[in-house]
Structures are given as C-alpha cells and as structure tokens.
C-alpha cells in the first residue's frame, strides 16, 4: 500500500511538473522549415512583404546537400506573413535558428517597433540574432544575392557581421542590445548597414558602415571610417586598421597601423564653468604595418613623429564624427547621456529633461594615446636605389 | 542404521520410491553389495569388483565405485594389487584397521559403517571397500573428475596481469586462490547446497580483514536457499541479492582468481560453487563495475584515464540516444545551426518517426550482439557482413534510417560493451531514458536521471551503501574511484568494506 502511494505520488509530481516546464511539444526535425534569415520590405497590397530564407536539404542516397530557398509573402503584420507561408510551403516556420533580420530602409525610417516586438514576443526567435538595415537595395534583394563561400546568404551575412571584430567597419549589434539602445535613456540605436556590391562576375551583399536611429526610426548612415571612429569611442572595436594620410613629394604615401588592442577608451564627463564637457581618452596599441615611402620611422625621432601624426588623425576623426552627428542628426548614439547619468547622477538630473538639446551643444575633448608596439617582421625600410 | 528417515541428504527419494524400510550394513559382503545395488538400481555406471587375497582365500573383498568419477589407475595400484598380493593378511578383528593403515596406499581413507556417509562418498568419487565378515567399510579417496585445465580468461580480457581463469572444479579453483594468498588466515568454509545436486559451495575470506557481520549475513542468506539444484553461481547471485528486482547487481562476479584475491585482501568475501567457473564477491558496490583488475597492474596515469573512459562510457551508453531524441524532437534550438542543418538533411525522406527509428536500431543492435554471443564461431564472418553492410550501410542508403541515428546507436552500443558486467542494467536504463525523452524532452531525461539516482542511492549490498565510494565527502575513498591513485598513496583499505584493520601498507599496519 505504501509503495503504491509512493508510486502514485511520484507519477503525479511528474505530470504536475510538466505544466511548469513552459512551451514544448514533440516535432520531428524534418517536418520543420528552418528559417535562417528574414528580410522585411514594404508590401504592395499589404503593409509588409517578408522574404524568408530556408535551409533546403536534399539528400539522394549518401549525398546530402544543404542549400537555401527563398519565399516571399505579404502580410498585414509580420506574424501574419509568417503564418501565410503555410499557404506556400505546407510546413510550419521554425524561427529558432534565424541568424539575421534585414530591414529595408523605407520600413526602418517609418519605425521598427512592430518588427522588434514580433521578434521578442515569439518564443522561438532568439535575442542574439543580428538586425541589419539595407542601405541601397531592398531587403529582399540583399537576401537573394549569391553568397560567396557558403550556400546560405543569411548565414554568410551573419558571418560578415561577426567578423567585424577584425575589421571594425560596422557594429555588431544583436536584438537585445538594440532594444536596450532604443528604449534606454541617454542613448540612441545604431545598426549595421548592408548594400549590394559587385565582385568578380557576380553581385553579393556586403556589410558597410552603420545606420543611426532616432528612437525607432532610421535617420541616417555612417560611412565605414566614421563607424570605426564610433566603435573606438564606444569601446566596441577590437582590431582593425588605422590609415594615416601622408604625402611624400606631393604624392600620396599613406601609412597603415594595425590596431592590436583598442578597448581601453575612457569617457569622462566633467563640469567646467557651467559647461558639461565630455573627455574622450582613447588608448591604442598598434603595430606599424605598411608604409608607402622610404623614410625610416623606426628611429626614435621617426617614431615620435609617427605617433604625433597618428594621435592627431584619430583626434580629428573622433571630433569631426561627433560634430557631424551632433549637428546633422542630434542623436546621442555614443551613449554620452547614459555615461553622465552613471558618473554624475546629480548633474544628470539637470540635463535629463532636455538632453537632446543639451547634447547638440556638448563640448568634446578628444585625447589619444597611441603606442607603437612593433613593426612586423621587418626592421628596415626598403631603400629605393637607382 | 535407519535409512528411511530424512537424515541423509545424499540419498534422496529418487533411488527408493516404494521401499520404506531402513537399511543397515551387515557382516555379509553379499548382503552389503546387494544393499548398495538396490539403492542404485538402474544405474549402469556403478561398478563392482570382487577379489580374494592370493595367500588367504578366506579374505574376500569387494570394491564399489562409479565410473567416470574415479581414477581406475589408483584403484588398481593402490587398492586391488596391495590386497591381492599381501602376505600378512589374517582374518582377525583388527583386519580392517590393518588394511587401512598398512595395505592401502591412498591419501584419503576413512572407516565407515554409516550407509548415508558411504553413499555420499561414493557419489563424490570415493571407492568403497567391503570385506567379508566385517560390518565396517572403507571409503577410499580415488576422485578424478574429468574437467578442463586452467585456461586464459575470455570474458575479462586484459593486456597485463595473470592469465588464469577459474575452472569448473571447485578444488582447483580454491588452489588458484590459495596460490596467491598464503596465510592460515585465509579460510575456506565448505557447504553443500541443492536438494538434489548436492553441490559444493565454498565461502572464502581472510579472517581479521573480512567484516564479521557481512560474513554472518552471507551464511544466513545461503542457509535460506532451498532449491533442487544449482548449475552455476548465477543462481546464488540472484538468490542472495539485496534488491531482487533491480537491474543492478549487488553481488559481484568474476572468472579471474587474481580479482578474487584482490577482493579478499580488501576485506570482501568470495563464494565459489562447484561446477561454476565464476566466483562471487560480496559486498559489491556500484564503483566496482568501473574497476578492472588491470587498473592496479598498469601505470596509474593510464589506469586513471581508463577509469574515466568507463565513466564516460556509462554516461554515453545510457544517455546518448535519449539526449539525441530530446534534441531533435524537442529542443532544436539547442543544436548549433550547422549541426542542425546536417541532421535536418540526413532526416529528409526518412519515413519513420525518430523515436521509432531509435528503438528499432537499438533492437537491431541488441539482436546482433545476442547473435554474436550465441552463434558458432565459424560463421562469425557472416554476421559482420550482414550486420555492418546490410543493416548499417544499406539501411542508410535506402533511407530507412538516418545516418546520425546509426552513429548514435553504434556509439551507445560500443560504449555499453566497455562495461560488460553492467549490460542488463544498461539496456534497461537506456530504454527508460529514451522513452522519457520522447515523452517530455530534456525534462524527461532529468526526471529519469533523478529516478535512477534515487534508486541507486537507496540500494545496499550486504549492509553497505551501494554508492558509497562515489561520495565526495570521503577523500580517502576517492583515491580508487574515477582515478586510480598510485599504490604508494593507497595505504588504507576501502573503509566501508573492512572497518577494522584499515591499513594495508606500513610497518605495523598490514592488517593481520
């Protein structure tokens, strides 16, 4: 009797716990339509036209091939479009492995709240997926471009964004960070931008620069070099190159420095004479990577000169970027407000209410410190002889 | 002597169905022989030989033995010849003693007039000598059962270490143990067990190291056995088990004398059964499934790696199919995208659901395994061709099963063979976890693992906690668990097995 009671209570606990374990059900993997990328455009008859990229696996005998297929469908809302795909494919969409969501710039300039809400609310899509803005073509066109190395263009786009660590020409922002930036106080959102580019014999998509937002609406783009300065300010850049404009005998002879360590930027707000000043101290370790002239920069004097040029260049890039964003867009994509709030909370209360206006007139002081650590595997400069 | 009462185990009712009256020996040799004949009627292996002393025709003798259990050479040389040729034999009251002490040259000889003992001796390969005019008979040891010689172990293969294996003869087996432990403290207690078979059973232990409580518990449980016959120690293993319905064994078994010697030195108790080449050891803890005798002979780094491999194998063989099913039918988001896509591709156009596929493939694997065990060695090649090619490759190519499933099942199966003694439990746990996973995904898996742990932690083996040496609370016991510490660190015996006399190394602490 005791044993039966024990068994019954064990079984009932088992079934009770099932109700606590959230959403689950048995579904065969081959019955799913695994979506890897979503492109969202404006529709013709409906509000949205959504393009899905599926993983398409065909296997004959031992041979298995993983390709991709595109499906374009319209819907009044995003979820409507997602469900409408059943009309076409018969399989239910599985969004658990979506890597990128491309949003068309026309949609983005009208607001992306609806897209984001669907992505967050859906139990399958992940918070670490990447959102990109199409800069020159429609989102659907970008998704339908041929990929270079893989068979799936959204996976390749995802790889491009993730590899920005070594390039620092585009930000790597995932859904969660985007939501934080949009809804956060004293910061505005930035997203990577993509466009279509011509390569040898085919067209493909490339990540280029960044798109900047006011609230949830797209208001402009940053170029690649501007994005690099932006990433250096916000401590997001890890690797990348620093190109110094240089002329020898009135001919361009640029110098390239490779950034070895970058994420040591300090932003310090200070209050001087009734004026809020933002001090940006960048601190880079670089390697001397390439030169276009025959001068020897490896002497004490040459190194100091090079250091001076590099620091000046970086300071100029930083201040001019901030100036442009302040004056043209008036959005705090650098998160200065957030930093002021964290470091000078009393001061923040004064600025809180009209931060957008205050931001436009902020005084910026950029100081850079660049250490040249090595000169690659060469100690000498090539001498041009007769 | 009243033969009809149930005092004698050796003579059960099969020889005497209707005859209720008692038997007793007389002085007449003819009557005595007739008596034995009557008890053993219809037994063609019973042999009689009358003979007379060549110098004194009054001395008539008869020997009785059972063919096949005796050495005829010894009978000729040590019994018949000396009696026939002896010149000093005289009919007097002391003649039987004279035969026993001066004539017959055998290592074992007893004077008996109890018919029960005589019959028991006869069945055990003794030769009975009746002498005309005397009630006493002599029971002379001429045992020579035909059996196997000591061979190499087959079920417990090793790279390094002794290559001897128990045989079916209990005394040979005991000698293999004695050869390794030369101390008078090594005790062999003989018992007879089985109402009809009267099988010899031996309890071995080292006095002073073995736990007395366990010993008396072993005696108690063995005495409770009431069965007609025992053909292998497997009968005992199941009959004295602690958790009768559990798939996990609480009585260890081995075919290697060096393992038994090792267990005895740790304070365990061994049980050997005549006719069975497998010895039993108690108490048996869960960790012993993962310990191999070779671990103690090889370099301790290598031994520790092997130990860990066995633990990993236990996890893999029980859990890999279950986790795979949970992943691909419930938790697709937990698989990395690239892996998901290749599984997705492999699953395309497979007509059966994953869980049926998994159960079917596991069934096929078990069939192959069982076939491999049962079939004659000569046709072994056919199995590998059919098993590997037809069922593996062809089934995948025909898209009846997916390639990942073949890998999963093979992984689970191969890892299961690494711990062969655990096989019954492994299959049970594997199927249980698989079914739970197909019902509730990872949630079911965790539930199954919790059930398994509760079951294992609840179990005892002869009073010892089954999972004892795996607990991390006792660092001493960990030295011989997932790793095998070097010998110079293993100074103590397992605490739970031998509570007194813990130390096994050092000047004053070798136990005895």
């Amino acid at each position: 009797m005791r044993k039966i009671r024990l068994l019954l209570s064990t079984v009932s606990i088992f079934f009770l716990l099932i109700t606590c374990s959230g959403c689950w059900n048995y579904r065969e993997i081959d019955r799913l339509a695994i979506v890897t990328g979503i492109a969202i455009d404006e529709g013709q008859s409906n509000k949205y036209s959504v393009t899905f990229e599926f993983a398409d696996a065909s296997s004959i005998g031992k041979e298995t091939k993983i390709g991709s297929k595109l499906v374009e469908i319209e819907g009044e809302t995003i979820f409507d479009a997602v469900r409408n795909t059943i009309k076409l494919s018969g399989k239910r969409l599985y969004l658990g492995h979506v890597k990128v969501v491309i949003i068309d710039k026309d949609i983005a300039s009208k607001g992306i709240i609806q897209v984001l809400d669907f992505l967050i609310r859906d139990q399958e899509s992940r918070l670490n997926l990447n959102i990109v803005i199409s800069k020159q073509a429609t989102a659907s066109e970008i998704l339908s471009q041929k990929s270079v190395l893989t068979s799936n263009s959204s996976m390749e786009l995802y790889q491009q964004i993730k590899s920005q660590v070594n390039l620092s020409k585009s930000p790597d922002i995932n859904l969660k960070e985007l939501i934080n930036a949009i809804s956060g106080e004293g910061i505005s959102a930035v997203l990577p931008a993509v466009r279509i580019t011509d390569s040898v014999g085919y067209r493909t998509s490339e990540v280029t620069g960044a798109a900047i937002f006011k609230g949830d609406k797209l208001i402009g783009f940053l170029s690649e070099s501007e994005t690099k300065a932006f990433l250096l300010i916000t401590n997001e850049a890890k690797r990348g190159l620093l190109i110094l404009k240089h002329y020898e005998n009135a001919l361009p002879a640029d110098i390239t420095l490779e950034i070895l360590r970058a994420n040591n930027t300090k932003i310090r707000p200070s209050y001087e004479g009734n004026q809020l000043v933002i001090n940006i101290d960048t601190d880079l370790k670089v390697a001397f990577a390439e030169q276009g002239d025959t001068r020897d920069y490896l002497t004490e004097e040459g190194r100091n000169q090079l250091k001076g040029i590099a620091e000046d260049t970086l300071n100029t890039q930083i201040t001019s970027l901030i100036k442009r964003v302040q004056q043209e867009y008036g959005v705090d994509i650098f998160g200065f407000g957030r930093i002021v709030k964290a470091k000078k909370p009393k001061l923040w209360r004064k600025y809180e209410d009209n931060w957008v206006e205050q931001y436009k007139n902020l005084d910026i002081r950029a100081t850079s410190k660049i250490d040249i650590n090595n000169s690659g595997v060469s100690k000498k400069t090539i001498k041009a002889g007769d | 002597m009243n033969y009809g009462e149930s005092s004698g185990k050796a003579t059960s009712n099969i020889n005497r169905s209707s005859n209720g009256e008692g038997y007793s020996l007389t002085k007449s040799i003819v009557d005595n022989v007739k008596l034995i004949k009557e008890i053993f009627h219809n037994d063609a292996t019973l042999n009689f030989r009358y003979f007379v002393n060549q110098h004194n025709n009054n001395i008539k003798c008869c020997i009785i033995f059972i063919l096949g259990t005796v050495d005829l050479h010894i009978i000729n040389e040590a019994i018949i010849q000396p009696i026939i040729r002896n010149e000093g034999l005289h009919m007097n009251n002391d003649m039987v003693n004279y035969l026993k002490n001066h004539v017959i040259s055998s290592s074992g000889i007893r004077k008996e007039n109890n018919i029960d003992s005589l019959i028991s001796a006869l069945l055990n390969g003794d030769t009975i000598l009746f002498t005309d005019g005397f009630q006493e008979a002599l029971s002379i040891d001429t045992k020579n059962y035909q059996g196997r010689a000591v061979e190499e172990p087959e079920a417990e293969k090793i790279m390094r270490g002794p290559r001897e294996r128990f045989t079916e003869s209990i005394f040979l087996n005991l000698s293999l143990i004695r050869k390794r432990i030369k101390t008078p403290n090594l005790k062999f207690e003989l018992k007879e067990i089985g109402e009809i078979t009267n099988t010899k059973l031996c309890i071995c232990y080292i006095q002073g190291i073995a736990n007395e409580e366990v010993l008396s518990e072993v005696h108690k449980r063995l005495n409770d056995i009431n069965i007609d016959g025992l053909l292998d120690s497997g009968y005992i293993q199941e009959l004295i088990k602690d958790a009768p319905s559990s798939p996990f064994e609480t009585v260890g078994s081995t075919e290697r004398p060096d393992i038994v010697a090792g267990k005895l030195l740790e304070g365990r108790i061994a049980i050997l059964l005549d006719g069975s080449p497998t010895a039993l050891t108690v108490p048996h803890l869960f960790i012993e499934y993962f310990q191999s005798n070779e671990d103690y002979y090889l370099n301790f780094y290598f031994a520790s790696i092997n130990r860990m491999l066995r633990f990993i194998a236990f996890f893999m063989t029980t859990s890999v199919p279950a986790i795979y099913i949970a992943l691909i039918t419930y938790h697709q988001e937990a698989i990395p995208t690239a892996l998901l896509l290749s599984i997705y591709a492999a699953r395309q156009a497979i007509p059966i659901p994953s869980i049926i596929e998994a159960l079917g493939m596991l069934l096929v694997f078990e069939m192959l395994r069982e076939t491999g065990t049962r079939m004659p060695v000569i046709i072994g090649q056919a199995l590998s061709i059919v098993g590997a090619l037809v069922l593996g490759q062809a089934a995948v190519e025909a898209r009846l099963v997916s390639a990942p499933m073949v890998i999963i099942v093979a992984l689970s199966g191969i890892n299961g063979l690494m711990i062969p003694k655990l096989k019954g439990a492994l299959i049970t746990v594997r199927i249980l976890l698989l079914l739970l996973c197909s019902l509730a995904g990872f949630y079911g898996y965790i539930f199954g693992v919790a059930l398994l742990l509760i079951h294992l932690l609840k179990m005892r083996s002869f009073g010892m906690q089954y999972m004892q040496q795996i607990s991390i609370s006792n660092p001493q016991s960990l030295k011989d668990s997932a790793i095998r510490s070097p010998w110079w660190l293993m100074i103590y015996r397992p605490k739970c097995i031998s509570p007194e006399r813990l130390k096994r190394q050092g000047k004053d602490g070798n136990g005895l």
Side-chain angles (χ1 to χ4, degrees):
Chain A
M1 194 55 215
R2 226 180 115 239
K3 274 196 170 170
I4 294 172
R5 241 166 54 203
L6 198 74
L7 187 80
L8 277 177
S9 50
T10 318
V11 170
S12 54
I13 287 171
F14 177 70
F15 283 109
L16 266 178
L17 279 173
I18 285 181
T19 60
C20 311
S21 67
C23 188
W24 64 284
N25 57 339
Y26 182 97
R27 49 193 177 186
E28 285 291 344
I29 195 166
D30 47 305
R31 303 280 148 80
L32 300 175
I34 300 172
V35 180
T36 54
I38 302 174
I40 299 166
D41 287 298
E42 284 192 310
Q44 286 173 344
S45 50
N46 288 297
K47 190 178 175 195
Y48 292 108
S49 162
V50 185
T51 310
F52 298 95
E53 185 175 33
F54 298 97
D56 171 47
S58 57
S59 47
I60 308 123
K62 269 192 283 187
E63 295 274 312
T64 51
K65 238 178 73 190
I66 300 163
S68 78
K69 262 193 187 140
L70 293 173
V71 166
E72 190 170 1
I73 196 134
E74 293 200 346
E76 269 310 306
T77 62
I78 306 286
F79 199 20
D80 186 30
V82 168
R83 276 291 149 91
N84 280 344
T85 51
I86 294 176
K87 291 194 294 187
L88 291 183
S89 68
K91 283 181 177 179
R92 237 196 72 193
L93 290 191
Y94 175 62
L95 301 180
H97 282 269
V98 172
K99 294 291 175 193
V100 283
V101 175
I102 308 167
I103 301 174
D104 185 64
K105 61 176 184 305
D106 297 335
I107 295 255
S109 48
K110 285 176 193 157
I112 54 172
I113 286 289
Q114 190 167 14
V115 178
L116 298 184
D117 187 77
F118 167 72
L119 290 174
I120 295 173
R121 213 172 285 280
D122 188 80
Q123 73 271 22
E124 284 175 351
S125 57
R126 300 176 184 214
L127 286 179
N128 65 355
L129 58 84
N130 277 89
I131 298 195
V132 296
I133 302 294
S134 72
K135 195 174 173 182
Q136 279 164 10
T138 65
S140 171
E141 276 165 1
I142 286 179
L143 204 55
S144 56
Q145 292 311 308
K146 199 181 160 200
S147 49
V148 181
L149 292 174
T150 57
S151 54
N152 188 309
S153 50
S154 38
M155 302 262 267
E156 186 153 295
L157 195 54
Y158 177 74
Q159 278 307 320
Q160 287 171 14
I161 296 164
K162 290 294 164 199
S163 303
Q164 287 295 328
V165 184
N166 295 319
L167 194 62
S168 300
K169 285 183 178 175
S170 220
D172 172 11
I173 308 282
N174 65 32
L175 181 56
K176 195 173 124 209
E177 290 161 345
L178 174 66
I179 305 283
N180 282 343
I182 285 183
S183 53
E185 208 178 354
I187 190 164
S188 290
V190 174
L191 280 178
V194 283
R195 65 170 178 214
I196 291 175
T197 184
D198 280 313
S199 188
V200 194
Y202 56 87
R203 286 156 68 79
T204 185
S205 56
E206 71 165 358
V207 179
T208 173
I212 51 181
F213 281 76
K214 189 182 179 70
D216 72 321
K217 292 177 180 65
L218 174 77
I219 52 167
F221 290 95
L222 297 184
S223 74
E224 288 184 359
S225 61
E226 281 174 331
T227 309
K228 191 186 291 168
F230 166 76
L231 292 173
L232 283 171
I233 296 168
T234 53
N235 243 338
E236 300 284 337
K238 288 198 177 70
R239 287 291 178 99
L241 304 177
L242 208 60
I243 293 163
L244 312 177
K245 288 277 171 230
H246 183 69
Y247 293 92
E248 194 180 58
N249 304 330
L251 290 169
D254 291 355
I255 295 168
T256 311
L257 299 176
E258 185 190 359
I259 300 171
L260 299 178
R261 182 183 59 73
N263 49 345
N264 201 20
T265 307
K266 302 232 163 25
I267 300 175
R268 293 180 291 113
S270 62
Y271 196 62
E272 289 165 22
N274 275 345
Q275 178 71 32
L276 184 62
V277 180
I278 303 285
N279 301 282
I280 300 166
D281 304 334
T282 41
D283 175 11
L284 301 184
K285 274 203 169 68
V286 298
F288 184 59
E290 194 182 313
Q291 75 178 106
D293 54 4
T294 56
R295 231 184 109 181
D296 189 1
Y297 288 103
L298 299 176
T299 58
E300 181 89 45
E301 187 203 344
R303 277 211 303 273
N304 282 336
Q305 198 193 354
L306 188 64
K307 213 174 135 179
I309 299 172
E311 285 171 355
D312 286 347
T313 313
L314 191 57
N315 284 343
T316 321
Q317 279 180 3
I318 289 173
T319 40
S320 63
L321 168 70
I322 298 176
K323 279 265 148 55
R324 188 166 94 85
V325 175
Q326 275 177 325
Q327 282 155 14
E328 258 181 65
Y329 306 115
V331 288
D332 184 7
I333 55 173
F334 310 98
F336 289 151
R338 184 179 276 189
I339 290 163
V340 173
K341 188 185 176 188
K343 292 195 174 164
K344 297 222 182 298
K346 279 179 192 158
L347 206 59
W348 173 248
R349 253 171 247 145
K350 218 174 96 184
Y351 288 96
E352 204 170 10
D353 296 329
N354 57 343
W355 174 247
V356 181
E357 282 312 306
Q358 296 285 345
Y359 165 76
K360 286 179 183 165
N361 306 316
L362 273 182
D363 220 357
I364 305 295
R365 268 180 226 155
T367 47
S368 304
K369 183 167 159 271
I370 292 182
D371 287 333
I372 301 167
N373 265 29
N374 65 53
S375 61
V377 291
S378 168
K379 245 167 82 179
K380 288 178 190 154
T381 310
I382 302 168
K383 293 264 182 285
D386 297 323
Chain B
M1 171 72 211
N2 189 349
Y3 188 65
E5 279 166 26
S6 59
S7 58
K9 270 185 176 178
T11 47
S12 68
N13 291 329
I14 33 174
N15 285 331
R16 318 172 49 253
S17 46
S18 56
N19 214 336
E21 64 191 297
Y23 289 109
S24 60
L25 291 174
T26 63
K27 289 196 172 186
S28 152
I29 187 167
V30 183
D31 286 354
N32 285 341
V33 169
K34 220 169 101 185
L35 177 66
I36 299 282
K37 266 187 181 163
E38 207 170 306
I39 294 169
F40 280 91
H41 71 94
N42 280 352
D43 187 344
T45 60
L46 196 72
N47 262 39
F48 306 89
R49 165 81 160 85
Y50 286 95
F51 54 92
V52 179
N53 183 271
Q54 65 189 88
H55 304 288
N56 188 345
N57 284 350
N58 289 332
I59 300 174
K60 289 182 200 142
C61 296
C62 179
I63 54 169
I64 307 170
F65 56 89
I66 296 176
L67 266 182
T69 64
V70 295
D71 188 342
L72 293 175
H73 192 70
I74 297 179
I75 293 178
N76 288 337
E77 302 277 316
I79 306 172
I80 302 179
Q81 242 182 57
I83 296 178
I84 291 180
R85 299 256 168 89
N86 199 292
E87 295 174 16
L89 273 180
H90 302 287
M91 280 295 276
N92 55 25
N93 286 341
D94 208 30
M95 199 189 75
V96 176
N97 280 332
Y98 184 80
L99 281 175
K100 182 182 162 206
N101 296 333
H102 296 89
V103 182
I104 296 164
S105 52
S106 169
S107 60
I109 185 160
R110 267 178 311 136
K111 203 164 76 172
E112 279 293 353
N113 55 11
N114 180 340
I115 193 137
D116 287 335
S117 315
L118 279 180
I119 295 215
S120 163
L122 194 57
L123 288 167
N124 276 311
D126 282 10
T127 298
I128 310 292
L129 175 77
F130 286 117
T131 325
D132 198 21
F134 293 93
Q135 202 182 347
E136 294 103 337
L138 285 176
S139 143
I140 305 148
D141 186 1
T142 52
K143 277 187 208 62
N144 182 25
Y145 281 100
Q146 296 301 313
R148 248 166 358 123
V150 177
E151 290 168 355
E152 259 199 56
E154 274 181 8
E156 296 168 50
K157 292 267 188 201
I158 54 161
M159 285 201 304
R160 176 174 171 180
R163 282 163 210 279
E164 277 180 335
R165 170 191 182 184
F166 284 132
T167 66
E168 283 76 8
S169 153
I170 190 168
F171 290 106
L172 182 54
N173 293 348
L174 294 182
S175 77
L176 290 175
I177 298 173
R178 171 67 80 191
K179 199 163 86 177
R180 287 172 170 80
I181 305 171
K182 289 170 187 120
T183 166
N185 284 317
L186 174 62
K187 304 294 179 196
F188 295 121
E189 287 183 19
L190 275 176
K191 265 181 192 291
E192 273 195 359
I193 200 159
E195 295 293 316
I196 294 175
T197 56
N198 292 301
T199 316
K200 282 203 174 64
L201 176 143
C202 182
I203 303 168
C204 299
Y205 57 95
I206 299 177
Q207 200 167 41
I209 298 178
N211 190 329
E212 296 290 333
E213 283 172 36
V214 176
L215 185 64
S216 60
E217 181 67 26
V218 169
H219 274 289
K220 202 187 122 240
R221 291 195 194 172
L222 286 175
N223 289 339
D224 283 347
I225 295 179
N226 201 350
I227 192 170
D228 58 346
L230 297 111
L231 303 181
D232 187 80
S233 52
Y235 290 42
I236 300 178
Q237 195 174 11
E238 253 177 59
L239 286 168
I240 65 172
K241 197 174 165 184
D242 288 70
S245 48
S246 168
F248 293 91
E249 299 292 352
T250 61
V251 179
S253 62
T254 179
E255 55 170 17
R256 305 185 60 102
D258 56 318
I259 292 183
V260 170
K263 304 270 183 214
L264 290 176
L265 284 172
E266 283 180 346
R268 290 190 167 83
I269 294 161
I271 302 164
L272 284 89
L273 189 76
D274 198 15
S276 168
T278 312
L280 306 178
T281 56
V282 291
H284 178 263
L285 307 183
F286 186 64
I287 185 99
E288 287 177 63
Y289 281 126
F290 301 94
Q291 296 169 334
S292 153
N293 57 335
E294 203 180 12
D295 292 349
Y296 303 98
Y297 310 148
L298 291 170
N299 173 298
F300 63 89
Y301 284 105
F302 187 50
S304 302
I305 291 167
N306 291 346
R307 279 275 170 87
M308 283 181 247
L309 279 180
R310 280 173 226 136
F311 278 102
I312 296 169
F314 177 69
F315 165 75
M316 296 265 267
T317 191
T318 51
S319 304
V320 161
I323 289 177
Y324 177 73
I325 287 296
L327 278 177
I328 70 161
T329 57
Y330 285 92
H331 313 286
Q332 289 93 350
E333 60 279 348
I335 314 174
T337 309
L339 183 61
L340 177 86
L341 291 182
S342 64
I343 295 172
Y344 178 70
R347 275 287 304 166
Q348 288 302 311
I350 306 286
I352 32 181
S354 304
I355 174 66
I356 305 293
E357 194 189 356
L359 286 173
M361 287 302 286
L362 284 173
L363 184 73
V364 168
F365 175 80
E366 295 304 330
M367 282 171 170
L368 285 175
R369 179 191 55 74
E370 182 63 11
T371 314
T373 324
R374 296 286 155 253
M375 71 179 176
V377 186
I378 315 158
I379 53 171
Q381 263 192 328
L383 177 78
S384 38
I385 291 169
V386 170
L389 292 180
V390 178
L391 290 172
Q393 210 175 335
V396 173
E397 270 176 43
R399 307 219 64 81
L400 288 173
V401 290
S402 60
M405 186 59 82
V406 176
I407 298 170
I408 295 295
V409 168
L411 208 60
S412 171
I414 288 171
N415 277 303
L417 300 177
M418 213 189 289
I419 338 165
K421 283 181 191 166
L422 204 49
K423 51 189 181 285
L426 289 184
I427 297 172
T428 321
V429 173
R430 188 188 298 150
I431 298 294
L432 178 83
L433 289 179
L434 185 62
L435 291 176
L436 281 171
C437 274
S438 75
L439 285 176
F442 275 155
Y443 172 68
Y445 178 73
I446 297 299
F447 184 77
V449 170
L451 276 188
L452 179 67
L453 277 176
I454 291 170
H455 175 68
L456 285 173
L457 287 165
K458 233 179 72 184
M459 267 167 73
R460 297 272 189 285
S461 171
F462 287 81
M464 307 296 156
Q465 283 183 16
Y466 198 50
M467 300 290 271
Q468 196 148 16
Q469 267 179 296
I470 299 178
S471 82
I472 48 169
S473 56
N474 180 5
Q476 190 61 38
S477 69
L478 280 184
K479 285 185 181 172
D480 193 15
S481 53
I483 53 159
R484 199 277 282 172
S485 311
W487 268 111
W488 41 266
L489 269 179
M490 291 198 285
I491 301 167
Y492 299 97
R493 299 200 167 81
K495 198 176 173 184
C496 47
I497 307 296
S498 170
E500 306 151 38
R501 314 265 188 195
L502 257 172
K503 233 173 162 188
R504 71 189 305 177
Q505 284 185 51
K507 265 183 190 161
D508 46 17
N510 55 2
L512 298 168

